[in-house]
Amino acid sequence: MLTTIRGARAALTALGRRRQLSTGSRRIHAPSTAELSAALDAQASYAAATGRSVISVSGGDASAFLQGMQCNDMARASEGGMFTGFLTPQGRTVADAFVYTVADGFLVEVDERVSARILKALQFYRLRAKVAIRDMSAEYAVWSVWGPSTPTITATGAAAGAEDRRAPQMGQRLVMPVDRQPSLPVQFEERSGCEAKMRRILKGVAEGADDFVSGVAVPLECNLDYMGGVHFDKGCYVGQELTIRTHHRGIVRKRLMPLLLGPMTSPACADLDAPLADFSVDGHVACVRADDAPRPRRPQAPGRIGSVAGNAALALLRLDDVASYEKGDVSFEAVAADGSRISAAPWMPAWWPQ
């Protein structure tokens, strides 16, 4: 049942080079994309993407309307679908999204916790555009499919779908009628939501309101650019100014990245035969500096923890601090619900642009 999770943890344990600091934490250096993929992508699998809503945008002006509402180029949706984001006028993230092409327009997939806000924004900006906007969440469900021998999207019986290009070998994203599952070869095994979520986290892929905090998160800090969700040469869209300015300045000091959580007395991914721990943390991870490490001139806010599955999480961390972590100058710690300290071991995914 937990082959995918334990395989990933085994890969991190076997491939990770550890060093001990005076704080007692451990260093885990990331495996390459190929090495991690061997643990996460080797078995043909599928899972329901729970907590997602589907919105229909149809009509003669649907493409032009959506072109101005989100930060990717609608031409990319012609291949079946694309990943993108909806922003506030101030350039903060409202939601990450997939946009799928269908016969009468498009289906927009978002986190169900922000779907009402997206619907309200679409209705507000519609004005005289010839579009019809409907919540289709009661009719459609979303699935993820990954692994070798993945069939074509048409063969799965999906109403819509697209290659998931947020990270290498993420697989396919399918929109199915709510009463049906994807039609897949017999070797495909259904995975639990926890396994699918942990796989996504270990790949360093942000998703949903836990990672893209609505009205707060900065798109590039959530790796929307790295995951192919932003087109920097398209025309105007809601929230464009801050995103383009940040991109051209080339200054992004923080990014979401994966980390493993574990007791302070042992490596974060030791004892693979032990039951998977579910760590309840306070939502933040602190950078702890060794006694002889240089100190920042100004106090720094702790990193924010986003998605969590078992002992894996995504966290918004300063890139300089993670570079210092790689040198052995700092460690990272979180605080459990009972007040105990938890070791945190982050890494930068190998698929990130250099």
Side-chain angles (χ1 to χ4, degrees):
M1 183 68 175
L2 297 174
T3 302
T4 301
I5 297 175
R6 296 201 188 284
R9 294 169 74 194
L12 287 168
T13 303
L15 297 166
R17 178 172 59 86
R18 300 192 183 100
R19 282 182 285 163
Q20 185 82 31
L21 284 185
S22 60
T23 58
S25 3
R26 301 279 186 157
R27 312 263 64 75
I28 298 177
H29 287 247
S32 68
T33 298
E35 292 165 332
L36 192 54
S37 178
L40 297 175
D41 309 323
Q43 191 162 0
S45 306
Y46 68 104
T50 57
R52 307 294 288 180
S53 290
V54 178
I55 300 168
S56 169
V57 181
S58 59
D61 294 339
S63 181
F65 173 68
L66 286 174
Q67 179 76 348
M69 288 298 301
Q70 48 76 44
C71 55
N72 212 336
D73 190 349
M74 288 299 294
R76 294 179 175 177
S78 62
E79 300 177 5
M82 67 179 188
F83 179 64
T84 185
F86 289 87
L87 311 180
T88 68
Q90 295 76 30
R92 303 285 175 164
T93 304
V94 177
D96 61 312
F98 282 89
V99 176
Y100 307 96
T101 301
V102 291
D104 62 345
F106 303 92
L107 296 178
V108 179
E109 174 208 331
V110 297
D111 190 307
E112 66 180 8
R113 291 169 288 183
V114 295
S115 63
R117 185 171 179 178
I118 294 296
L119 275 167
K120 183 178 180 180
L122 293 174
Q123 296 284 4
F124 178 80
Y125 285 104
R126 180 175 58 176
L127 301 178
R128 296 181 181 178
K130 296 178 181 178
V131 295
I133 301 166
R134 294 178 295 160
D135 186 353
M136 304 291 286
S137 302
E139 299 183 31
Y140 292 114
V142 181
W143 294 77
S144 291
V145 180
W146 68 89
S149 305
T150 302
T152 63
I153 292 172
T154 303
T156 65
E163 295 295 325
D164 188 345
R165 297 188 173 93
R166 292 177 295 177
Q169 294 184 285
M170 278 296 290
Q172 296 173 342
R173 200 81 166 186
L174 306 178
V175 180
M176 302 289 303
V178 72
D179 58 347
R180 292 180 55 190
Q181 291 191 4
S183 299
L184 299 168
V186 293
Q187 68 266 28
F188 278 79
E189 294 186 18
E190 185 172 1
R191 300 293 179 180
S192 69
C194 178
E195 288 182 278
K197 186 176 182 180
M198 180 170 274
R199 175 179 180 268
R200 172 178 66 79
I201 290 172
L202 290 172
K203 280 180 168 286
V205 174
E207 180 178 298
D210 291 333
D211 299 321
F212 294 88
V213 180
S214 188
V216 175
V218 177
L220 304 195
E221 291 182 349
C222 297
N223 306 321
L224 198 66
D225 53 340
Y226 285 1
M227 296 188 291
V230 184
H231 194 289
F232 292 107
D233 296 322
K234 64 173 282 186
C236 296
Y237 57 90
V238 177
Q240 177 190 30
E241 184 178 351
L242 175 63
T243 305
I244 295 298
R245 185 169 68 244
T246 303
H247 170 67
H248 286 297
R249 285 181 175 177
I251 301 174
V252 180
R253 294 186 172 88
K254 297 180 288 185
R255 283 193 180 269
L256 274 172
M257 62 188 71
L259 55 80
L260 290 175
L261 302 168
M264 295 298 295
T265 56
S266 63
C269 56
D271 191 7
L272 299 177
D273 293 325
L276 287 173
D278 288 316
F279 286 92
S280 178
V281 294
D282 71 349
H284 296 89
V285 57
C287 179
V288 180
R289 301 182 183 276
D291 296 338
D292 58 349
R295 304 282 169 172
R297 288 179 292 180
R298 298 179 180 177
Q300 296 178 352
R304 175 183 59 80
I305 292 179
S307 294
V308 179
N311 69 326
L314 290 175
L316 182 65
L317 302 175
R318 294 182 64 87
L319 297 174
D320 288 347
D321 287 344
V322 177
S324 296
Y325 174 86
E326 292 291 327
K327 297 175 184 177
D329 293 335
V330 304
S331 64
F332 288 95
E333 296 178 7
V335 178
D338 61 4
S340 61
R341 295 160 61 201
I342 300 174
S343 174
W347 71 94
M348 299 183 192
W351 55 267
W352 280 10
Q354 298 299 316

